[in-house]
Amino acid sequence: MEQSENSPFIRNCIGGIVVEFLEGQQYALTINEYPLPSSDLNYEYVTLVSEHCPIAASIFRWFRSAMSHCNMQNGELILNEMVEVFREHKDELSIPLREYILSDGILEVSYRVQMDNSQIIKQVLDLLYESWSSFGSLHFSAILKPNNHHRVQEEVEQYPDYLSFFLEHARRLKLEYQGVRFIDISVYSSMRKSPVFIAADLWCWKPLLRYLQYGARFEDVTLDPSSTRNGAQTALTDTLNSLIRYLWIRLVQPATILSLTEPELQEYCEVAQVELRDLCHTLRIILRVIKRFRQDVLDFIIPDHSGPRVVGIRSEMVLSHPAVQLMLPTLRKRYGCPIQLQHYCRWVIRNRLNENWQLPAGINALPVPNKIKKYLNILSG
């Protein structure tokens, strides 16, 4: 065992770590030697002790303490202080620590205490926007891990889910960054897309439904064709191409190979419904919000690799297949047919409400029966 302070040996052994975090501070080093089994070698177990506390560690401990003591009574006061401390000291934090404090700290506390002060939430979302990685993590967390967030204290059924909580605050604030609504700001996945398209690409239909209920742009959103998978010019076309290809691979191609009769096809679709539930839900929700497909949107070639030679399958073959007609009867109504008056009315009403930042809250204020409100809120039809 050996103890020493500020010796050249210590500087050489722990080099950059000591220089970066302890600098000229006093510390003690304890070294214990232990034999390695089945050899003549020993290994050293080194313990470093210092009273020096780097500012990053202090801030981290402060945030952990604030998070553990925050509740619905003191939430506004503590959250406001957390925002101020973070803004003042963020440059002294490493990027992973900064993201942890934002995503797993400030965001989670905001939701856990159901912060009702939209101005404080605006400060939180401003911090997120300034940190692109954390901004994306809010959406990816809501899309991919919707059940991993802290439960609301004194949980009651009327509290919104994690994603709805922040989308509702952004709606109330009419929050935009550089002329783009908070809900429509692109984040990076395999390409830069707004979160609503990422949810659709991943068949995460529940967050997709939330984004669309809150008025996320879904039509006429242009993309750089060089950055898309299929050279598509709009995000909707790119997403639909991907979803229809999966319909071919998972549903139509197996049904075609089996050469099913009509009764067998019905039974086959009932089984496939379970396996393709998320994909079908995703497509149904998309069909509720778009006005009508342009003729060219679903006109593409799908490469079929099932045989010895790769052949091209026209998308029309997928769309007109009886299995798709059974699973997605609305698809034909949105593609190749005149627009339905009922659906067109919903599309117009939702667009007008969205222009005035009234989705989905404005639907409940309309003097119409609940069944129509449900239809307008894309929960049916």
Side-chain angles (χ1 to χ4, degrees):
M1 181 181 294
E2 176 185 354
Q3 287 193 340
S4 59
E5 291 186 4
N6 290 337
S7 69
F9 169 76
I10 296 172
R11 288 291 182 188
N12 291 334
C13 281
I14 52 182
I17 297 175
V18 172
V19 170
E20 181 178 355
F21 291 104
L22 296 182
E23 299 173 337
Q25 302 295 324
Q26 296 294 309
Y27 55 85
L29 191 72
T30 302
I31 304 172
N32 294 323
E33 287 192 3
Y34 298 95
L36 283 172
S38 306
S39 75
D40 297 329
L41 302 175
N42 294 334
Y43 71 90
E44 293 183 341
Y45 185 85
V46 181
T47 303
L48 181 68
V49 179
S50 173
E51 294 183 357
H52 176 57
C53 183
I55 189 168
S58 299
I59 294 172
F60 175 74
R61 282 199 291 269
W62 182 87
F63 271 100
R64 292 287 294 179
S65 176
M67 288 162 58
S68 63
H69 289 91
C70 201
N71 55 49
M72 287 189 168
Q73 286 69 45
N74 62 19
E76 182 170 339
L77 180 65
I78 291 182
L79 192 59
N80 196 40
E81 191 171 351
M82 290 172 79
V83 169
E84 290 180 6
V85 170
F86 180 84
R87 192 177 290 279
E88 182 178 351
H89 296 288
K90 64 179 180 179
D91 293 336
E92 300 172 61
L93 304 174
S94 65
I95 292 176
L97 184 55
R98 195 183 309 168
E99 184 162 328
Y100 172 81
I101 290 174
L102 268 176
S103 302
D104 291 78
I106 295 177
L107 280 179
E108 291 289 348
V109 166
S110 301
Y111 176 64
R112 179 155 54 97
V113 302
Q114 287 294 291
M115 178 53 55
D116 194 49
N117 187 329
S118 289
Q119 290 306 315
I120 292 181
I121 297 298
K122 183 181 185 305
Q123 294 181 54
V124 171
L125 296 180
D126 286 346
L127 289 177
L128 281 185
Y129 183 72
E130 293 166 12
S131 173
W132 275 103
S133 56
S134 296
F135 187 83
S137 69
L138 182 155
H139 293 287
F140 282 112
S141 179
I143 292 170
L144 300 175
K145 300 182 291 183
N147 300 319
N148 282 16
H149 303 287
H150 294 302
R151 289 187 174 274
V152 177
Q153 292 186 359
E154 304 170 16
E155 187 169 3
V156 184
E157 287 186 3
Q158 73 261 24
Y159 287 132
D161 58 70
Y162 182 79
L163 181 58
S164 298
F165 173 79
F166 290 103
L167 293 182
E168 175 59 22
H169 275 290
R171 183 196 69 81
R172 286 190 214 165
L173 292 161
K174 300 183 179 180
L175 193 59
E176 293 183 333
Y177 295 101
Q178 297 182 354
V180 180
R181 291 189 181 193
F182 169 83
I183 197 172
D184 294 322
I185 294 175
S186 296
V187 296
Y188 186 80
S189 55
S190 57
M191 62 189 77
R192 290 204 69 83
K193 278 187 171 184
S194 61
V196 65
F197 289 104
I198 295 173
D201 286 342
L202 297 174
W203 310 357
C204 295
W205 62 271
K206 289 183 179 179
L208 170 68
L209 178 63
R210 283 287 179 267
Y211 284 120
L212 293 173
Q213 285 178 326
Y214 277 87
R217 282 188 64 203
F218 205 64
E219 297 179 273
D220 303 321
V221 180
T222 58
L223 287 176
D224 178 2
S226 63
S227 68
T228 65
R229 290 163 293 211
N230 310 301
Q233 293 184 344
T234 69
L236 177 58
T237 303
D238 188 64
T239 292
L240 286 170
N241 283 3
S242 174
L243 297 178
I244 299 301
R245 288 169 197 273
Y246 277 111
L247 267 185
W248 162 255
I249 295 168
R250 300 285 189 88
L251 178 68
V252 176
Q253 188 183 45
T256 304
I257 292 172
L258 292 171
S259 301
L260 302 173
T261 62
E262 188 170 336
E264 290 172 334
L265 185 63
Q266 183 77 36
E267 185 178 347
Y268 168 77
C269 286
E270 289 175 1
V271 175
Q273 177 76 18
V274 177
E275 297 178 357
L276 297 175
R277 181 193 60 187
D278 292 340
L279 174 59
C280 290
H281 275 326
T282 298
L283 282 164
R284 288 189 194 104
I285 291 166
I286 290 173
L287 293 170
R288 292 171 191 169
V289 295
I290 58 171
K291 181 179 178 181
R292 185 172 178 269
F293 289 130
R294 294 197 322 269
Q295 193 65 32
D296 62 323
V297 167
L298 297 181
D299 186 13
F300 54 90
I301 302 296
I302 302 172
D304 180 12
H305 300 271
S306 60
R309 296 174 55 192
V310 178
V311 296
I313 304 297
R314 292 194 64 82
S315 58
E316 176 64 24
M317 177 181 171
V318 180
L319 302 176
S320 60
H321 194 276
V324 175
Q325 299 295 318
L326 284 169
M327 299 279 277
L328 298 164
T330 317
L331 185 57
R332 268 296 172 194
K333 297 176 183 177
R334 302 286 183 270
Y335 181 68
C337 295
I339 188 170
Q340 295 173 295
L341 179 59
Q342 177 177 305
H343 174 67
Y344 181 62
C345 289
R346 170 169 63 181
W347 185 84
V348 170
I349 292 169
R350 286 183 56 82
N351 275 4
R352 183 57 59 88
L353 289 171
N354 199 23
E355 288 170 4
N356 293 281
W357 298 85
Q358 290 300 311
L359 279 181
I363 292 175
N364 290 327
L366 295 175
V368 295
N370 288 335
K371 186 176 181 179
I372 296 179
K373 290 179 181 178
K374 184 178 178 181
Y375 180 78
L376 291 173
N377 205 23
I378 57 174
L379 292 171
S380 65

